[in-house]
Amino acid sequence: MSGMTRIHALGHYQPEHVLTNDDLATMVDTNDAWIRQRTGIATRRIAREESVADLATAAAGKALAGAGLAPEEIGLVVVATCSARDRVPSIAARVAGELGIPEAVAYDLNNGCAGFTTALATADHSVRAGAARHALVIGAEKMSDVTDWTDRASCVLLGDGAGAAVIGPDGTSGGPDGIGPVVWGSDPSRRDVVRLQGEWQPKFGQEGQAVFRWVTTELAPIARRACERAGLTPQELGGIVFHQANLRIVESLARQLNAPQAVLAADVVDSGNTSAASVPLALAKLVERREIPAGAPVLLFAFGGGLAWAGQVVRCP
């Protein structure tokens, strides 16, 4: 593989309907104070009529427009999702069709909450290898479709949304790589700790305390390794976007990483846990608000069902 790559543009989309903690308190035995204390979440967005493909297409369209590329310049479309009802045709094929992208390789990827950062790495590898010049990478979830609304431990966590990135060659010379090497892996011995199992319609379930212990005791060194592979220390980061699982988890990982100068994404407060959509959704919002300057290094790191993880340092578009 040769050449450098970068993120050219980002896009995000969330449904209009806002579900508050007070709304949830009318559905299950919970309250706003309990939810905020345990998760940090205040609201989440819920798609009523929109499908996963609709969410993905809306976010991808914004990223494509931001990149200033014509649809025919996209050679690869990858959608990371674990909540799509359809198996064939893929959500990626639906997105390509809606956006008028001809002849692109289009496929879906399921690596749970680590899906987007995994998809970003695979697309990056394809661009570097010359298999595609530009790629559209999307994380899209309609977690409300797989939520057990009678389970107060999990229904307070989940939300719907999508985020997308256009990646391609980095035309600059002499600077750092726009997309750093990936660190990824899994612990299949704990594969059942987070679940979406059963005939359709499956429901999300997890052993919350086991997930919390795993993330807060084992993953900081792996996140640090992503910085090392990019030739950086955590202290040099301009931003950190962890998977938005839970505010306590996000803040615990950030403390262990010790990156005091970095802007920490906390989109979970407003969006809940959107699984594979959470990293691109949070990153796109930070960039849209210009909370991280262009060119600054940002750590993306996601984790979840499998138990799987994937992350890399990217340069902010």
Side-chain angles (χ1 to χ4, degrees), residues 16-188:
E16 289 186 6
H17 180 62
V18 177
L19 187 68
T20 68
N21 292 343
D22 289 334
D23 293 332
L24 283 167
T26 69
M27 301 162 58
V28 292
D29 182 17
T30 190
N31 59 71
D32 178 68
W34 186 90
I35 296 171
R36 287 177 185 264
Q37 179 184 13
R38 298 296 184 92
T39 71
I41 298 169
T43 61
R44 68 286 294 145
R45 299 292 187 96
I46 302 297
R48 288 175 163 168
E49 303 300 326
E50 295 159 302
S51 67
V52 173
D54 293 332
L55 303 176
T57 300
K62 292 179 180 179
L64 186 60
L69 296 175
E72 56 268 22
E73 294 180 88
I74 299 296
L76 171 64
V77 181
V78 187
V79 175
T81 185
C82 65
S83 60
R85 288 173 176 262
D86 296 336
R87 300 296 183 261
V88 177
S90 67
I91 302 300
R94 293 181 184 278
V95 171
E98 289 296 323
L99 295 181
I101 298 171
E103 299 185 355
V105 178
Y107 63 87
D108 294 349
L109 182 155
N110 177 6
N111 199 24
C113 299
F116 177 80
T117 45
T118 303
L120 182 63
T122 61
D124 175 50
H125 297 164
S126 294
V127 171
R128 290 174 188 269
R133 182 162 178 80
H134 294 97
L136 186 54
V137 187
I138 308 155
E141 302 283 18
K142 189 177 180 181
M143 296 304 291
S144 60
D145 265 354
V146 296
T147 299
D148 181 352
W149 294 104
T150 67
D151 177 14
R152 70 171 187 167
S154 64
C155 75
V156 303
L157 299 173
L158 305 172
D160 303 336
V166 172
I167 73 167
D170 187 346
T172 62
S173 59
D177 211 339
I179 301 175
V182 68
V183 294
W184 51 6
S186 67
D187 181 358

Side-chain angles (χ1 to χ4, degrees), residues 183 190 211-229 232-235 237 240 242 248-259 299-303 309-311 313:
V183 294
R190 289 185 274 192
V211 174
F212 185 88
R213 286 194 300 272
W214 172 65
V215 176
T216 57
T217 62
E218 299 184 32
L219 294 193
I222 300 174
R224 194 172 293 112
R225 196 183 312 152
C227 298
E228 293 168 357
R229 295 206 65 194
L232 296 167
T233 66
Q235 291 72 32
L237 292 172
I240 300 173
F242 291 128
R248 292 168 61 203
I249 285 176
V250 167
E251 290 178 341
S252 174
L253 274 178
R255 285 193 298 271
Q256 293 180 64
L257 201 60
N258 187 25
L299 171 65
L300 311 181
F301 189 73
F303 43 84
W309 62 86
V313 173

